[in-house]
Amino acid sequence: MYKTVTKKVVDKPARTEKVTVPAVYSTVEVVKQVEPPKEKKTVIPAVYKDVPKQVKVTDADMEWREILCEINTTQDVVRRLQKALAAKGYDPVWIDGVYGSKTRAAVIAYQKDNDLASGQLTMQTLDHLGVKL
């Protein structure tokens, strides 16, 4: 019985070859220091402004107040309100029975000047002005 055996043999011995690789050139920008670094100080003046600060005076509380509802806000009531405001020196512009922005502004000014709850037309404001429903 025969068997084929494959083996590796040196066909050519090891050698050294000299290969010349051509040089590759590229342009590189170079930054050179012309003068040494120095400090330059610039005075920037301070800018001041007043900043309002809110301070808690008391705890918030909720209070119920009677206000004039839409059903009771008739032209007659508003007209009497406008006349009472005009008599006290608060100009509702027109006495026309319409609760518009000018009348609302006059009511709020009256409320603030008389330490009344402001923002809505309250029954207390009507009583204070002498307007009856």
Side-chain angles (χ1 to χ4, degrees):
M1 172 164 6
Y2 292 96
K3 182 176 178 182
T4 305
V5 177
T6 306
K7 71 178 195 178
K8 291 185 180 186
V9 291
V10 175
D11 186 29
K12 292 181 184 177
R15 66 183 192 281
T16 305
E17 286 184 14
K18 198 173 199 181
V19 178
T20 305
V21 178
V24 177
Y25 296 97
S26 64
T27 304
V28 177
E29 289 187 31
V30 178
V31 178
K32 289 187 177 181
Q33 181 177 351
V34 178
E35 61 181 68
K38 57 186 173 184
E39 281 187 18
K40 182 179 179 183
K41 294 184 178 183
T42 305
V43 177
I44 300 172
V47 177
Y48 298 96
K49 67 177 184 177
D50 292 332
V51 179
K53 180 180 176 184
Q54 291 184 346
V55 178
K56 182 178 174 182
V57 178
T58 61
D59 288 327
D61 60 339
M62 191 180 266
E63 189 174 317
W64 290 95
R65 300 182 191 278
E66 281 187 282
I67 63 170
L68 189 64
C69 65
E70 291 179 24
I71 296 170
N72 292 332
T73 310
T74 62
Q75 282 189 337
D76 180 54
V77 172
V78 174
R79 196 173 291 115
R80 286 185 282 139
L81 168 67
Q82 290 169 332
K83 286 179 183 177
L85 285 168
K88 298 277 185 175
Y90 295 89
D91 186 18
V93 182
W94 298 285
I95 299 178
D96 57 359
V98 177
Y99 191 72
S101 61
K102 301 293 183 175
T103 303
R104 188 175 310 112
V107 167
I108 292 171
Y110 178 80
Q111 289 170 329
K112 287 183 179 180
D113 289 346
N114 291 282
D115 293 324
L116 299 170
S118 63
Q120 294 288 329
L121 180 56
T122 63
M123 299 305 286
Q124 181 186 20
T125 303
L126 290 173
D127 288 342
H128 202 266
L129 283 166
V131 177
K132 303 293 180 205
L133 290 183

